[in-house]
Amino acid sequence: MLEGLDPEQREVATALHGPVCVLAGAGTGKTRAITHRIAYGVRAGILQPSSVLAVTFTNRAAGEMRGRLRQLGAQGVQARTFHSAALRQLQYFWPKAIGGSLPRIIDRKIQLVADAAAALGTRLDRNELRDVTAEIEWSKVTQTVPADYPYAAAKAGRETPRDPAEIAHLYAAYEDLKRDRAVIDFEDVLLLTVAILQDRHDIAEQVRAQYQHFVVDEYQDVSPLQQRLLDLWLGDRDNLCVVGDASQTIYSFTGATPDHLLDFRVRHPAATVVKLVRDYRSTPQVVHLANALLSQARGRAADHRLELVSQRPPGPEPAYTEYTDEPAEAEGAARRIRELIDAGVPAAEIAVLFRTNSQSETYEQALADAGVPYQLRGAERFFDRPEIRKARIALRGAARFGGNDSLLDDAVDLPSQVRAVLSGEGWTSEPPAGSGAVRERWESLAALVNLAHDLAAARPRATLADFVTELEERANAQHAPTVQGVTLASLHAAKGLEWDVVFLVGIAEGMLPITYARTDEQIEEERRLLYVGVTRARERLHLSWALSRSPGGRPNRRPSRFLDGLRPGTTPTVGRTGAGASGGVERGITASAATTPRRIQRTPARCRVCGRTLTDAGEMKLMRCADCPSDMDEGLYERLREWRAVQAERSGQPDFCVFTDRTLMAIAEACPDSSAELARIPGVLSRKLRSYGADVLAICAGQEPGQDDGSD
């Protein structure tokens, strides 16, 4: 089981006890290391397969992990996404915890957001609707309630599509509409699972009895909500292995944060930390560029960057090309791709990666004009495409009643049978001319034809029924077949993938970094996005940019600042000095329990009246259930509301941006007489304490704001 692993991977595979943190650079074989770790533990009798839960972020990654574990003889291990694992538990425990059946889960929340906006009389265009929906998703994974959204968005530096107060109202209306229609959304699956595990200790213990050992892949992408769920799964145990790379954190806009990865040793002082830096994917030339790109990075993630060491033979140097305009850039890339394909490079081993999906159309047209097949990645999932759903229905029918189908009379083997069935769905032996939806549908059906050839080669006696079964298994695992075409994808959608040849296009200021990236943190995430793009390439890497958007336009663009000092003839920007972390193992603290810092255990918030566990943020702020009796000073509450109205008018912001109603209620119930007591009230953060603390304490003491009581 351990043969073929390098020394660091072997350390991962044999570290089966206590907390383990694997810092794994791009292309260093992290999936290989953690699947061998699980399989080694199972085969050695240390881990029971049914007691292991491995979680990751995409169905594709989970499916790949399950496949590798089966090959290694570790059947029975659960490998799921966070949402899949949570949904399974929610469906099982809902009747016991809540009663009845689980509410219907909506596939897409955007229509419900549109309905909520209509109910408020708010008009949102298509882009605003999409962006408001994204803000609601971010709020939920960061556990932000509607009333707290304006402050949370400002603190996070988010570029909001509408006034934050308006989004807060839309968010609240959306939640109300969900309750009225008795439906839940994707994020609710996690929120409700967390609520049940917090509130029902018997259910939490049942889950913990089932799962004794946890593995979390892509840990740099964990959101606060996912981390809370993981904490509840773990309880007071530490049989946890996490794997991640802070330099590949590119989803912070969705609520992901690398802080949990970077703080792992703080939370778990006894953790073993293994650093994987041997890069088996890319040539030394590509790895050198990736390392140089991060050497100029700043910020906390940069402090923990890994210095990759290529294990492959040398290859060509990365190519840099400047074009006059974007169409010329697309035509240049298509021309080079055509030359590569003619020289024998498979089209499926070539990718064109860009910053935004809006850049795709130009490259679709250029590739179509050059006669190059392509596929779009990151749009609709393969098995969700209408043409694929129809094709599967047709194939199932042919497998069941094929003897009566004249289409199959001349089909002598599996590939010819599949071609015959799909010809009725629009597939032809030659691709259609041009680009767009027609070409994309043809490429999807062609992928099924190619899969039939692959299955027939692997299993010469395979039947049409076997092919249908293969498709069902792939659909359940979201394991799409390889489309024999050049991949067009955004940099975000390319995460986790790799190709022999990668074209990084549009690498210009305003596009990478994107125009709306203004803060240091946002700029650094854009740099990491380019790093992810660079590390997708195995052998050849082409980087390009255009001086203007359209032919004849003003050539006022310049190459991305991230290329300064990397491309020939440029000077590096001032950045970091010194090399990144090398590979190796760091053992955890092994001192006696008396001197070892203990992991901080979060205790659940409980109602100070009835003792019930609190899960609602507003109730946590009051430290009591909404239905429990209040000992609030009504007169004090009204005086605080009047004062808040004056402050809001002075600052030109909504009342709740000063303090929410719940915070004022909590103050009126606690009636603090010192800054320390006031600071302990949830919602009174340090900034607000400095701005409003003196006034609030004066009101609580029965004085006018700003009045001096004469004491020293």
Side-chain angles (χ1 to χ4, degrees), residues 459-479:
R459 296 163 53 190
R461 295 185 178 181
T463 64
L464 194 55
D466 294 328
F467 182 70
V468 169
T469 300
E470 173 75 10
L471 286 181
E472 294 298 326
E473 291 176 353
R474 283 174 171 264
N476 290 334
Q478 285 300 322
H479 181 197

Side-chain angles (χ1 to χ4, degrees), residues 289 318-321 502 504-505 507 530 534 541-545 563:
L289 176 59
Y320 302 87
T321 309
V502 170
L504 295 176
V505 300
I507 313 299
L530 180 57
V534 168
L541 183 62
H542 299 260
L543 301 96
S544 63
W545 58 93
L563 299 182

